[in-house]
């Protein structure tokens, strides 16, 4: 075993504390990565809030540098800058894996933290730490020319909205709305705009209107303004709903155009839907999560080509509890990224 340092939650209400952690010795196809930057995803808050106890180290969107490689690794060498997202292994042989949708692996992909390692059965510990050991297939080359801190959030927030945008054919002829302007939402806006779509933000926060425009959105609809929402009925081919809390889908489905889709990626769990909200206009309700290896690589290429990274506030990792408090209060524009160099 190798030893590193990270930020660990011991239960749902206690602050994260600095702790030493163990990483496995490298398997033949493993990389050791020095973690430099790790994004703070709202899922990290959910994970801690529902954590029954024991070691939980969050963090599933990070960038860093390869420090060591196993003997079978041919694609990476020490010194290579890499990015790692929210899945770190899969069976590799099921139809989903064969189709490049490892995120939907029939055996369930190994999550970057809180997952179960396929070989030794241990619980994975995430990227709020100075070192991570990852199977080479689930590390991605960091695109040259992009800020590594701003790239980190692409690996969860970015890919989670990229897959549905691509699968739903978003492009120059599409009208897209993004509900909830947070980590996922602001990247959905940037990506939809870069894909050429006419893009609108739906937010509770009217003070985000200037930001929405700066991100390239054409408009911002305030979700509490019933008259404007009524005017926007049937307006959008695709609505990407990134809202982090349970909410009524009705008002958002009513904004979807005939044969269009509401992709709910933010709140995962049971929802109640009036079928008439789907029936009228033959609308579709979908969801998505994470991404396969080909789509993740394609996203990084696209972002390099279009200069897309997250809008971040970089904090020393020692301020992780402050980042959590502020994210809970919706006080983030638009992603906290932890700088792990203070753990050296
Ligand atoms: N499907 C997946 O695989 C996947 C991957 C990553 C994250 N997630 C989930 O996606 C959600 C968003 O994550 P994030 O990191 O983008 O969070 P975030 O940065 O906190 O953004 C969430 C946004 O939702 C809106 N919002 C929050 N509470 C709301 C409420 N009660 N009613 C209406 N709007 C509300 C806010 O936008 P406004 O201020 O604009 O209203 C907020 O900025 C989380 O639940 C996370 O767990 C899912
Ligand atoms: Zn995430
Ligand atoms: Zn599989």
């Amino acid at each position: 075993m190798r030893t590193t340092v990270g930020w660990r939650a011991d239960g749902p209400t206690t602050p994260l504390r600095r702790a030493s952690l163990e990483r496995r010795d490298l398997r033949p196809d493993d990389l050791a990565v020095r973690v430099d930057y790790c994004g703070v995803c709202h899922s990290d808050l959910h994970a801690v809030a529902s954590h029954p106890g024991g070691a939980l180290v969050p963090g599933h969107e990070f960038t860093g540098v390869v420090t060591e490689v196993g003997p079978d690794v041919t694609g990476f060498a020490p010194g290579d800058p890499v990015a790692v997202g929210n899945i770190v292994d899969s069976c590799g042989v099921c139809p989903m894996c064969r189709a490049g949708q490892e995120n939907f692996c029939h055996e369930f992909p190994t999550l970057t933290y809180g997952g179960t390692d396929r070989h030794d059965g241990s619980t994975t510990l995430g990227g709020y730490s100075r070192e991570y050991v990852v199977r080479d297939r689930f590390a991605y080359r960091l695109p040259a020319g992009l800020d590594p801190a701003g790239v980190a959030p692409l690996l969860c927030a970015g890919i989670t909205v990229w897959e549905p945008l691509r699968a739903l054919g978003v492009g120059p002829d599409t009208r897209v709305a993004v509900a909830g302007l947070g980590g996922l939402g602001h990247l959905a806006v940037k990506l939809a705009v870069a894909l050429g779509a006419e893009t609108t933000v739906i937010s509770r926060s009217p003070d985000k209107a200037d930001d929405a425009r700066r991100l390239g959105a054409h408009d911002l609809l305030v979700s509490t303004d019933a008259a404007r929402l009524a005017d926007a009925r049937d307006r959008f081919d695709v609505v990407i709903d990134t809202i982090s809390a349970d909410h009524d889908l009705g008002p958002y489905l009513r904004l979807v155009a005939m044969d269009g889709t509401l992709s709910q990626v933010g709140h995962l769990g049971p929802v109640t839907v009036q079928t008439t909200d789907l029936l009228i206009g033959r609308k579709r309700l979908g969801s998505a999560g994470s991404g396969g290896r080909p789509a993740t690589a394609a996203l990084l290429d696209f972002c390099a080509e279009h200069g897309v990274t997250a809008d971040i506030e970089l904090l020393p990792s020692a301020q992780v509890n402050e980042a959590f408090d502020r994210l809970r209060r919706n006080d983030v524009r638009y992603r906290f990224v932890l700088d792990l160099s203070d753990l050296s």
Side-chain angles (χ1 to χ4, degrees):
M1 285 289 186
R2 336 161 43 103
T3 305
T4 186
V5 187
W7 294 97
R8 164 187 168 147
D10 293 302
T13 52
T14 48
L16 275 69
R17 64 176 175 88
R18 187 178 161 136
S20 77
L21 2 146
E22 289 188 333
R23 294 290 181 202
R24 65 175 181 259
D25 290 325
L26 266 57
R27 298 179 189 134
D29 58 353
D30 272 343
L31 314 174
V33 177
R34 183 194 76 213
V35 183
D36 291 327
Y37 302 108
C38 186
V40 178
C41 179
H42 207 112
S43 300
D44 302 342
L45 292 187
H46 294 318
V48 170
S50 61
H51 179 47
L56 172 78
V57 176
H60 60 197
E61 42 176 49
F62 59 87
T63 55
V65 173
V66 175
T67 54
E68 220 179 301
V69 299
D72 291 354
V73 173
T74 53
F76 296 96
D80 285 348
V82 286
V84 176
N86 51 21
I87 63 175
V88 288
D89 208 354
S90 73
C91 85
V93 294
C94 76
M96 285 295 188
C97 285
R98 282 206 304 271
Q101 293 286 176
E102 294 85 353
N103 48 329
F104 306 138
C105 174
H106 287 176
E107 294 191 7
F108 202 71
T110 306
L111 303 178
T112 305
Y113 69 85
T116 303
D117 184 84
R118 298 178 56 77
H119 302 278
D120 62 21
S122 62
T123 299
T124 54
L125 303 173
Y128 291 9
S129 66
R130 192 51 163 155
E131 181 176 75
Y132 197 93
V133 174
V134 61
R135 187 178 176 195
D136 58 354
R137 288 165 62 80
F138 289 88
Y140 301 89
R141 281 188 180 283
L142 197 68
L146 292 182
D147 168 30
V151 169
L154 298 175
L155 274 293
C156 174
I159 187 63
T160 294
V161 295
W162 172 255
E163 275 214 351
L165 288 171
R166 297 297 287 156
L168 295 167
V170 165
D173 299 324
T174 326
R175 295 157 304 167
V176 173
V178 176
L181 194 61
L184 268 62
H186 91 290
L187 283 171
V189 171
K190 287 190 183 198
L191 293 169
V193 168
L195 286 164
E198 185 188 298
T199 307
T200 297
V201 172
I202 309 166
S203 171
R204 297 168 303 175
S205 316
D207 59 325
K208 290 183 178 174
D210 288 346
D211 285 352
R213 248 169 249 118
R214 183 178 48 76
L215 294 166
H218 298 81
D219 197 5
L220 178 137
L221 294 176
V222 179
S223 51
T224 49
D225 184 339
R228 282 212 68 201
L229 284 195
D231 278 354
R233 182 179 167 169
D234 296 349
R235 185 181 292 172
F236 304 105
D237 305 300
V238 171
V239 176
I240 306 284
D241 179 347
T242 74
I243 294 170
S244 53
D246 190 9
H247 57 284
D248 182 6
L249 297 185
Y252 298 93
L253 281 170
R254 292 193 275 279
L255 303 179
V256 174
M258 178 146 146
D259 290 323
T261 300
L262 172 71
S263 181
Q264 205 214 9
V265 297
H267 169 72
L268 304 181
V271 291
T272 305
V273 178
Q274 290 297 338
T275 38
T276 44
D277 283 329
L278 296 168
L279 178 158
I280 299 169
R282 242 174 7 224
K283 298 174 183 182
R284 302 186 183 105
L285 175 62
S287 185
S290 186
R293 293 169 61 243
T296 305
L299 166 67
L300 290 172
D301 287 346
F302 181 86
C303 288
E305 191 183 326
H306 293 268
V308 174
T309 54
D311 286 11
I312 64 160
E313 187 175 335
L314 187 65
L315 295 173
S317 79
Q319 289 180 34
V320 60
N321 289 303
E322 183 185 326
F324 269 37
D325 287 344
R326 287 182 52 197
L327 182 57
R328 253 181 230 115
R329 297 199 305 266
N330 201 22
D331 175 20
V332 55
R333 305 276 168 108
Y334 279 91
R335 197 65 151 185
F336 291 119
V337 172
L338 303 176
D339 176 346
L340 284 315
S341 62
D342 60 354
L343 292 179
S344 291

